[in-house]
Amino acid sequence: MVDIRERGGGEAADGKSKRPRRKVVTFLLVVAAIAFLAAAGLRFLGIDGTRYMIATTALIPYITAAGVLLGALALVLRRWAVGTVVLLVALVLVAAVAPRAFPDPRPNGVGFTVRVMAANLLVGIADAEAVVRTAREHEVDVLAFQELTPAMVADLDRAGLDDVLPHRVFLDAPGASGAGIASRFPLTPRALAAPSSLGQAGALVDLPGQDLEVVSVHPMPPVVTDGPDQWQRDLAGLPEPDHNGLVRVLAGDFNSTLDHVGLRRLLNQGYVDAADQVGAGLEPTWPSGGGVWPPPVTIDHVLVDGRCPVEDFDVVDIPGSDHRAVIARFVVPAP
């Protein structure tokens, strides 16, 4: 009898010791769930908010994967309410994010095939020879530069840029303010974007048959200490597609992912993201180098007029730059 009572007492004590641990696990799951739901809410409600909120939205693909794992873990641990809510919200995010990894159906293009490349030169210290070599190897027709400095222009000239892309509209400037466009075809300068903090060169490209308008995009980064107001104004100042006129392309460092409101607004106006069209929409472009911190994100884009079927998209490392270059091949419809 003594042994039975002692064993029963031991089991009761063991049960009591487990309850605090269960409460701790439940508390941690609830805290993690609240953090996940708050981040998902920024995406669903279209709130850019502060620079910290914007940085969080840039991580939505990672947050989506974390939400799926968190929801599954909560269900395994029998926290049914937490697991169900988190997993349902995560699956909605999956529906928004996962299609970027799969090509969209697109018609066969009839017109002139164009290759547009965008390269952020990191205040002019990128490897100019690598930039020119990449443009040559990929048979680039139009190259949009960001952070183009006078010294970088000289480096590009020495590397033989004129032999590959002889026409240019350059707004080179010290630091990160410069921009430019180089082309295989004649260019005419055009002020297509509203005035912005950083240079955003625009040009008309004289293609055989149909002309093309290109903007080298580079809004102010949203995570600067002054806040995201200028970033929002710069994105809002980018031109809408001209549905009844010339094909228009926006290429460069948008400092935005496909989850940010400003970029989604441009897509809603009629642009398409070239990477998303061919299933490369989750390929990170910044920072280059393959590290894990900060988490690599997709902030460099080529947005093309929705009338242009996208055939291919590449992301290329450029030594010396913190951004990877992006190259889109698409068809400009015949007039």
Side-chain angles (χ1 to χ4, degrees), residues 192-204:
L192 298 171
S196 55
S197 298
L198 304 175
Q200 298 190 112
L204 174 71

Side-chain angles (χ1 to χ4, degrees), residues 44-330:
F44 293 142
L45 298 176
I47 300 173
D48 281 337
T50 67
R51 57 179 176 154
Y52 302 106
M53 293 178 180
I54 293 167
T56 299
T57 300
L59 301 177
I60 283 296
Y62 299 102
I63 291 169
T64 300
V68 172
L69 294 176
L70 176 62
L73 176 62
L75 292 178
V76 168
L77 295 175
R78 298 184 180 183
R79 274 51 169 197
W80 306 116
V82 174
T84 300
V85 171
V86 169
L87 200 55
L88 286 175
V89 173
L91 291 177
V92 176
L93 280 178
V94 168
V97 173
R100 300 172 198 172
F102 301 94
D104 295 339
R106 56 193 184 278
N108 292 326
V110 178
F112 190 81
T113 300
V114 179
R115 293 171 178 83
V116 172
M117 172 177 167
N120 184 309
L121 304 174
L122 186 57
V123 296
I125 64 175
D127 187 331
E129 292 186 357
V131 172
V132 174
R133 182 172 60 252
T134 300
R136 181 182 291 110
E137 291 175 351
H138 288 264
E139 299 179 332
V140 168
D141 298 300
V142 180
L143 203 168
F145 295 111
Q146 300 84 53
E147 304 193 16
L148 178 67
T149 64
M152 188 67 190
V153 173
D155 290 343
L156 291 169
D157 287 339
R158 283 191 291 270
L161 180 65
D162 275 347
D163 297 334
V164 183
L165 302 170
H167 305 279
R168 60 178 64 178
V169 172
F170 281 0
L171 305 176
D172 48 295
S177 298
I181 298 172
S183 171
R184 190 182 306 274
F185 304 101
L187 295 175
T188 303
R190 285 202 171 176
L192 298 171
S196 55
S197 298
L198 304 175
Q200 298 190 112
L204 174 71
V205 186
D206 186 7
L207 299 178
Q210 174 77 302
D211 291 340
L212 173 72
E213 289 182 332
V214 176
V215 179
S216 176
V217 176
H218 195 203
M220 177 68 72
V223 294
V224 296
T225 54
D226 290 340
D229 290 349
Q230 187 59 52
W231 171 73
Q232 292 170 336
R233 286 192 291 269
D234 290 346
L235 285 174
L238 293 173
E240 298 181 6
D242 186 355
H243 299 294
N244 298 314
L246 297 177
V247 166
R248 187 169 286 164
V249 175
L250 310 180
D253 171 13
F254 284 72
N255 280 309
S256 311
T257 71
L258 294 179
D259 294 301
H260 288 115
V261 176
L263 187 50
R264 293 195 346 245
R265 186 183 301 114
L266 290 168
L267 299 177
N268 291 336
Q269 291 170 350
Y271 289 108
V272 296
D273 182 78
D276 183 33
Q277 289 291 294
V278 300
L282 295 177
E283 186 73 23
T285 66
W286 180 90
S288 60
V292 297
W293 191 263
V297 292
T298 308
I299 60 174
D300 299 85
H301 306 272
V302 178
L303 303 189
V304 303
D305 188 301
R307 295 171 291 179
C308 300
V310 180
E311 297 182 338
D312 195 17
F313 186 87
D314 287 302
V315 179
V316 182
D317 288 319
I318 300 294
S321 177
D322 58 340
H323 287 253
R324 303 170 76 194
V326 293
I327 305 170
R329 177 164 57 93
F330 56 93

